[in-house]
Amino acid sequence: MRVLTGSDVLKKNFDSSVVTIGNFDGVHRGHAELFRQVKAACVQRGLPSVVVTFEPHPLAVLAPKNAPPLITTFAQKKALIAETGVDCLAAIDFTPEFSRMPAEAFVRDILMGCLGMRHIIIGHDYAFGKDRQGNQKTLERLGKEYGFTLEDISPVGEGRTIFSSSLARRLISRGDMPAATGILGRYHVISGTVVHGREIGQTLGFPTANISTCNELLPPDGVYAVMVAVDGRILQGACNIGNNPTFEGGARTIEAFLLDFSGQLYGHEIAICFVQRLREVMKFPDVAALITAIQQDVATTKSILAAADQSLIKPLFSPERIGE
Ligand SMILES: Cc1cc2nc3c(=O)[nH]c(=O)nc-3n(C[C@H](O)[C@H](O)[C@H](O)COP(=O)(O)O)c2cc1C
Ligand SMILES: Nc1ncnc2c1ncn2[C@@H]1O[C@H](COP(=O)(O)OP(=O)(O)O)[C@@H](O)[C@H]1O
């Protein structure tokens, strides 16, 4: 997949193409269906597919207080979109100045002029541009004027659930990992570098890899059964997110005890895939009680992960940090 960023998006890149446009946070199953339809339209027309997105997320620039914590980093989004087999991802630098560009100029100069748009496929409720002027009606009118066609796809979902980034965010925020997995079509993943902690873990018999992460949306504090990608391997793990209340003065950490592992991980990049929440974080009366609880967590983790669907594990790293 070709990736266009910064001023490269604003050059003449394609003579003709099929375009779709959105924020695509989480690249969930609804997005996947949209990309499938874009590729089908491309085969029919013999044209390349271009996914247009904005980076950073427009709300992070225009109304940071209302901006949601994102499910995926840009690097993770890029990896997921590349997997769908589209030809090009064009990430437009979203600046306050860009946000003032009228929808018509954006369509004519960027989508058509730089990206060669001949056909655009959008989600059922998508709108873009200054004051959300770029809605379905405007696009239809501009299509007639400038000579491109528009298709909008119906909401994608299952039963009464419509797949959306905001629903996935709500589910992750409340720790309902199986429901979030159902929307994303994969386990929610956060990645990061293993950093030093207080070195208490090894004294308990449960060393934990603590990570520093760029991912914004974390599941709530608690203990989780996870699958962890480490140096090209996928290992089972029990993950704790919280401030370790049994020990005074701890900062909030994300840490995973890896089953069937021993070795040194400081500085390594790992990706933690959340399968299921086991329990709340608790303040135990003493270290022995904490150890008994962790032993129980490990046993529960093993039985849950024995039934985990391996195909839902997507070890998504934030490759800006590892040079991809
Ligand atoms: C599966 C698991 C569950 C945990 N649950 C709790 C808990 O409920 N309460 C708590 O205070 N600490 C809990 N811990 C965190 C330990 O206190 C923590 O691993 C220890 O403080 C090590 O910190 P360190 O990485 O800074 O050495 C848990 C750790 C693991 C691996
Ligand atoms: N099974 C394991 N799971 C996680 N980390 C492990 C494991 N075995 C060894 N380690 C190493 O031990 C370190 C964690 O030990 P710990 O005492 O918890 O120290 P820290 O407080 O620095 O996290 C990890 O960062 C990793 O390098």
Side-chain angles (χ1 to χ4, degrees):
M1 179 179 75
R2 193 169 151 196
V3 180
L4 300 169
T5 56
S7 58
D8 282 347
V9 182
L10 309 177
K11 295 175 181 157
K12 180 152 185 62
N13 290 289
F14 295 93
D15 288 329
S16 48
S17 67
V18 174
V19 162
T20 187
I21 182 168
N23 293 310
F24 304 120
D25 183 32
V27 195
H28 57 63
R29 291 170 66 194
H31 298 141
E33 172 58 20
L34 178 60
F35 298 146
R36 198 189 59 73
Q37 296 202 20
V38 167
K39 288 200 306 168
C42 287
V43 170
Q44 216 174 36
R45 292 170 171 76
L47 294 179
S49 48
V50 180
V51 173
V52 178
T53 194
F54 304 103
E55 182 60 24
H57 191 289
L59 275 179
V61 174
L62 299 177
K65 282 203 185 99
N66 298 331
L70 298 177
I71 303 168
T72 39
T73 62
F74 179 60
Q76 293 171 333
K77 190 196 286 188
K78 209 161 54 178
L80 287 165
I81 293 177
E83 242 181 54
T84 69
V86 299
D87 298 302
C88 176
L89 174 65
I92 294 172
D93 264 348
F94 196 87
T95 58
E97 187 197 353
F98 176 81
S99 75
R100 289 188 286 273
M101 187 173 194
E104 179 160 350
F106 172 65
V107 168
R108 186 193 56 220
D109 300 342
I110 300 182
L111 297 185
M112 297 195 75
C114 303
L115 300 171
M117 179 177 76
R118 293 282 177 275
H119 186 65
I120 181 167
I121 306 187
I122 53 169
H124 66 289
D125 58 354
Y126 192 69
F128 62 89
K130 186 168 175 288
D131 305 325
R132 293 177 70 80
Q133 289 166 350
N135 54 28
Q136 199 187 332
K137 276 222 166 73
T138 345
L139 281 170
E140 255 159 22
R141 179 176 63 74
L142 294 173
K144 289 200 185 94
E145 204 174 323
Y146 293 113
F148 64 86
T149 45
L150 165 75
E151 205 178 316
D152 70 312
I153 71 160
S154 9
V156 184
E158 208 166 55
R160 280 179 303 168
T161 305
I162 293 175
F163 302 140
S164 74
S165 302
S166 51
L167 177 57
R169 282 187 210 113
R170 278 201 297 280
L171 295 167
I172 293 166
S173 308
R174 74 167 86 117
D176 189 345
M177 306 322 290
T181 303
I183 309 272
L184 296 175
R186 59 182 174 80
Y187 298 125
H188 176 53
V189 50
I190 60 182
S191 65
T193 313
V194 177
V195 294
H196 286 269
R198 295 192 286 175
E199 297 185 2
I200 298 172
Q202 49 200 294
T203 67
L204 304 175
F206 294 99
T208 54
N210 299 24
I211 61 164
S212 153
T213 181
C214 293
N215 274 104
E216 295 178 1
L217 185 62
L218 308 180
D221 286 6
V223 179
Y224 295 83
V226 297
M227 301 295 293
V228 185
V230 186
D231 300 335
R233 289 198 295 158
I234 305 286
L235 301 172
Q236 297 187 338
C239 176
N240 173 60
I241 302 180
N243 64 354
N244 307 334
T246 307
F247 305 94
E248 294 292 309
R252 188 168 188 241
T253 56
I254 306 159
E255 51 176 350
F257 166 67
L258 305 176
L259 282 57
D260 310 314
F261 176 84
S262 63
Q264 188 55 260
L265 288 173
Y266 293 122
H268 292 227
E269 289 283 332
I270 68 171
I272 304 178
C273 305
F274 289 83
V275 178
Q276 201 168 308
R277 189 169 198 268
L278 308 183
R279 64 170 174 88
E280 305 269 327
V281 170
M282 296 188 297
K283 181 174 169 62
F284 290 96
D286 52 43
V287 168
L290 171 63
I291 291 174
T292 305
I294 297 177
Q295 283 166 342
Q296 180 59 52
D297 293 331
V298 169
T300 315
T301 292
K302 278 186 186 158
S303 65
I304 288 170
L305 296 181
D309 184 341
Q310 305 288 316
S311 71
L312 300 175
I313 301 170
K314 289 271 163 71
L316 297 170
F317 293 92
S318 289
E320 283 103 334
R321 301 159 64 93
I322 52 173
E324 212 174 278

